[in-house]
Every structure is written in structure tokens, then in C-alpha cells.
Amino acid sequence: MSTRASWTLGETLADQASSEGRPEARLPGIVLVFCDRAPTLLARALGEGPLRIGRDELARAGLRDDRISREHAVVQRESDAIVVRDLGSRNGTWVDGERLSASSDARPLRRALRCGRSLWIAVDDVRPYQRSAVEERGGFVLGPRLRSALQEIESLATRSSTLFVRGESGAGKELAARTFHDASPGRAGPFVAVNCATVPAALAERLFFGARRGVYSGAHEDTAGFFQAADGGTLFLDEVAELDLGTQAKLLRAIETREVIPLGQTKTKSVDLRVVAATLAPLERAVTEGRFRADLYHRLAAPSVRVPPLRERREEIPFLVRRALAALQCERALDAELVEQCLLHDWPGNVRQLLHALAQAANRWSVEPSRPLRLPDIEQLDGDPPIDTAPTARPRPDRRVASAVTDADARAAVERCRGNLSAAARSLGLHRTQLRRILARSSSAPDTE
């Protein structure tokens, strides 16, 4: 289904903005994001007077919702808030998940407004939503705010060889890195993504810079590191703050000189690449606490772009829900109340957490498809830790790390951990079964756990 374009009101932005020469004032308003089982995007600015929601208003935009009354609700600005009143609607008005009645006082709208089968969100400035619609491109959903960040990245890619991306887990940092790569002069080259949280300190130099044949047991040929693999393209260092200080020092030199020295060699090897670094945790705090080198921070921190979290891009949620349900083969379960549930939640784990919750809900729904598909209780979801950011969560081992672990590395790790295979595997960034396979190449794995 194609995305509907934003509805620009009769008056122009220039008419609504302050006089020429002054910055444009923000235009608070509401955005219709779902109507009668379909995602959409229609922006309405709130001026001095009230804005009425009803069947006729939708009809003027070419939309229809039979469950909306002709005069359903009214939305207006009061002081610094957007408030909603019900006008005696037949099927009810819900503000942030709570039902209004015609006798209720006006209620502030903070997240989502549901009238009939249609949903609106409150925004502090409707102008971005009037200028562009939500776009589905290359497997991604791009709303106006995310697209604005990506456009800034595309501009930087033509002027800088490095980029620092700030953003929460699951917000789209790798999408930002790939956008930088695709807009750079090295777009035809490789894009190499490295999760630094999976790089063990004992193997970091070998993984990043490669190794010479014969430098360690089992090294039968020269091996390239991440820097050589990204030569001519882009190296994406995700969660760069997880690297140990020794590796950070070597990384700084390689980024500054664009030269690497493979393990066991004395001659440098030049590489031509762009570097994108990203982190979930604030690097400034890591520098203050002595966990991240200040010189590497200053080398990476500019230019920087922030990827907005999903809670600042709620207009994307209906499109994400539709895509997820289609992939799970339960599109017919899409309705306004399910989308409303998703709009009311902050999603600290961002898109990844939303998709995970929808998959769980779809699994339960498949057992009893006669009932509506619903998420778990919103309060329960709010109490969940962000997906992949909980303190106990372990990063998924990287196959490239496993392939670089030698028999000697494995035996030394087991010895350091006094025969505890689980601890030894964690120290090498491996699963225990991967460590067992490596040990089995030369000898039987110890029986102690």
C-alpha cells in the first residue's frame, strides 16, 4: 500500500511563521498516523482556535472511518498543552489510553488520541510532517525525523572521513553508518561492521590489523584484519566504548595515520577507508571515568549525529507494525487498538524491542486467532529492560572472532580460568561449544566445568 502524502493546510508555513528575518516559530499540532486499518500521515497545525475532529474532516482529506462521528472531538492549545474534549461521540474518544466522556474536563494529550478506528499523535512542531511523508525504503521505515538525521549524514559523508553516531540500542545506528558509506566516495568499496563488545582484548590486535603467516600456531597464511577488509570502503565500529584501553591506543594510531602493522610484521600497510564509530553510553562519561582515552574521543567525536529514538518518531510505529504483522503472516490482526498500544509505549529498546514484542504477541494470537491480537500489559512492558541493553545481556559472538582463536589461545584461556570452559569461552568472546571445537582440533577438551 502506498504512503499517503502529508496534508498541508490552506495557509502556508510562511503565513504562519513570524515576520521575515526572524526564526520560524514552532507549530504545535497533531498528526493522523492511522485510519481505518491503514497507516497514514496527515499533519494539522493548532492555531489560536479549536480544531474539530469528525467524519467531514477526514472526507476532505480523502479518508473514511465509519466509526467516527460527524462531530467527534475537539483539540486545541491551552497554555503550553494540547488538550482534547469529547463532543458526545457515538463510539468514544481515548486520550493516552483513557476514555473521555462528553462531561469530562479537557484532558492533556501527550502521546496518542484514538477516535473510532483512527489515531493521532501530538507533536511540538508539525512542519517536518507537512514537508514529507513516512517512506518505506530498503526494508526500513523512515519518518521525517529519522530522514532528517540521515540527510545530515549524507551531507557529512562528502566532507568527512569519520563520523560519530550517538543513539540508543535498536534506534538505527547501523542504518546511519550504511547511509554514510553509501553517500561517501568509497561507496563502491566494502562495508565492514564490527561489534566491539565481542572483540576480546587478547585477540584485538590480530582481529583489527591482521597477522603474518607463522606468527602463531596454526597461522598457515597471512590474514587480513578489519582495517584491511574495509580498505577502499567503510569500517563501522559499533559500541566502540567497549574496547580496552590498550586496543584504543592502537586504534587511534591506525585512524590518524591510515596505516596498520599486522601482527608479526614491522612494515606498515596503508589503508584508505572511512571510519564510523557508535556507542550507546555517553563517551564523555567514559572519558571522565578513565575507561576511554580522551585523545581517541576527540579524534572520533566530531562530526557527530544523533539518531533519534523511536519514542521521538512515533509516526513510524503504524508502518512498523504493519510490516511486522505481514512478515509474521497475521496482517488481518492489524487494528487501531493494537497500534494504539504500541504508540503508548516508550520502547526503550526501540525498533528491536517493538518487533520482539509483536512477535511474542503474534505467537500467542496464532493459538487463538478469534481474539484480537494484543501486546502484554503496557505497564509490564515499561518495566522490561531495553532489549540487548540489560546488564546481564551478552553480545552475540562474532564468527570472525571464533576463526581468529588459535589452539594456543584456547588452551591459554582454559588455563587462566582453571579449567572452567564457560569462563574461558566468555574471555575469548565465544560460546562454550565453539571453544570445545577449537580444543578438539588438537586434543580432547577438559571434562571440568
Side-chain angles (χ1 to χ4, degrees):
M1 183 179 298
S2 62
T3 302
R4 297 186 180 98
S6 295
W7 181 20
T8 303
L9 299 181
E11 56 187 279
T12 66
L13 295 179
D15 294 332
Q16 297 175 359
S18 55
S19 60
E20 188 175 357
R22 296 182 183 178
E24 291 182 341
R26 286 180 176 271
L27 294 174
I30 58 174
V31 179
L32 179 66
V33 295
F34 191 83
C35 181
D36 196 25
R37 296 187 176 271
T40 188
L41 192 75
L42 302 176
R44 296 295 307 266
L46 290 172
E48 296 301 324
L51 174 65
R52 289 182 178 269
I53 289 176
R55 196 178 304 160
D56 293 341
E57 284 289 318
L58 290 181
R60 281 195 285 271
L63 298 173
R64 180 177 178 177
D65 182 348
D66 291 338
R67 293 184 64 83
I68 282 188
S69 302
R70 191 171 299 279
E71 294 286 330
H72 198 108
V74 64
V75 184
Q76 67 186 86
R77 293 172 61 185
E78 290 186 3
S79 299
D80 293 330
I82 295 175
V83 300
V84 182
R85 291 183 177 85
D86 184 81
L87 297 176
S89 62
R90 184 177 70 254
N91 292 309
T93 299
W94 277 258
V95 175
D96 296 334
E98 296 186 17
R99 183 167 184 168
L100 291 180
S101 66
S103 60
S104 301
D105 293 334
R107 183 170 296 169
L109 172 62
R110 294 183 176 87
R111 299 189 181 185
L113 164 65
R114 174 162 61 90
C115 300
R117 295 193 181 100
S118 300
L119 291 159
W120 287 258
I121 59 172
V123 297
D124 60 0
D125 190 358
V126 298
R127 290 175 300 171
Y129 304 92
Q130 291 176 324
R131 292 167 183 160
S132 61
V134 175
E135 179 184 355
E136 299 183 57
R137 182 203 310 169
F140 295 97
V141 173
L142 308 179
R145 295 196 177 190
L146 180 56
R147 189 185 297 106
S148 177
L150 297 182
Q151 287 171 345
E152 182 180 356
I153 289 170
E154 289 172 345
S155 176
L156 290 170
T158 63
R159 309 194 306 268
S160 176
S161 61
T162 61
L163 177 70
F164 185 71
V165 179
R166 302 173 185 270
E168 298 177 3
S169 177
K173 296 191 294 294
E174 183 162 346
L175 171 61
R178 287 188 178 275
T179 299
F180 183 82
H181 170 73
D182 292 341
S184 74
R187 65 180 66 87
F191 177 87
V192 178
V194 179
N195 182 351
C196 295
T198 68
V199 177
L203 304 178
E205 185 174 1
R206 190 186 312 167
L207 287 167
F208 277 109
F209 310 124
R212 182 181 177 184
R213 182 182 62 182
V215 73
Y216 57 84
S217 175
H220 303 302
E221 57 184 17
D222 292 350
T223 57
F226 297 139
F227 272 78
Q228 294 99 313
D231 190 17
T234 301
L235 178 62
F236 174 42
L237 303 174
D238 196 13
E239 299 305 335
V240 69
E242 299 300 319
L243 293 173
D244 69 287
L245 290 170
T247 302
Q248 291 174 28
K250 295 169 184 174
L251 199 64
L252 173 63
R253 184 190 179 280
I255 292 173
E256 286 189 329
T257 65
R258 293 302 198 267
E259 292 179 341
V260 297
I261 304 177
L263 195 64
Q265 290 190 359
T266 56
K267 287 185 63 176
T268 60
K269 185 172 183 179
S270 296
V271 288
D272 175 20
L273 77 170
R274 279 135 294 282
V275 177
V276 180
T279 185
L280 166 66
L283 272 188
E284 296 86 352
R285 183 186 304 169
V287 172
T288 302
E289 295 173 352
R291 295 183 290 107
F292 199 82
R293 293 178 62 100
D295 48 6
L296 181 57
Y297 166 75
H298 292 300
R299 183 66 184 82
L300 294 176
S304 70
V305 172
R306 174 179 175 269
V307 178
L310 186 59
R311 62 182 172 274
E312 296 178 12
R313 299 151 31 199
R314 295 185 194 273
E315 71 279 358
E316 297 176 9
I317 288 177
F319 294 86
L320 289 166
V321 174
R322 182 177 66 180
R323 287 177 64 92
L325 295 187
L328 295 164
Q329 298 184 336
C330 49
E331 280 182 285
R332 63 188 177 91
L334 179 66
D335 64 17
E337 291 182 49
L338 172 63
V339 176
E340 179 186 33
Q341 278 191 304
C342 297
L343 290 171
L344 292 177
H345 183 49
D346 273 344
W347 301 113
N350 293 286
V351 176
R352 188 179 297 123
Q353 187 186 15
L354 168 65
L355 299 182
H356 178 69
L358 288 169
Q360 287 184 318
N363 286 337
R364 290 195 298 270
W365 179 80
S366 64
V367 177
E368 198 173 357
S370 60
R371 302 184 63 180
L373 191 156
R374 297 290 180 263
L375 298 180
D377 184 72
I378 287 292
E379 292 183 4
Q380 178 183 333
L381 283 173
D382 283 333
D384 289 343
I387 302 299
D388 286 352
T389 62
T392 56
R394 297 176 188 167
R396 181 179 298 175
D398 191 323
R399 290 182 181 179
R400 294 168 298 190
V401 173
S403 65
V405 176
T406 67
D407 300 345
D409 293 328
R411 289 194 298 272
V414 172
E415 186 176 345
R416 282 197 309 272
C417 297
R418 300 181 181 182
N420 188 319
L421 292 190
S422 296
R426 284 195 297 272
S427 73
L428 294 170
L430 304 175
H431 282 306
R432 189 173 63 184
T433 52
Q434 291 175 308
L435 177 59
R436 282 186 179 277
R437 293 192 193 103
I438 294 169
L439 291 168
R441 291 191 295 222
S442 57
S443 61
S444 299
D447 293 331
T448 55
E449 294 295 331

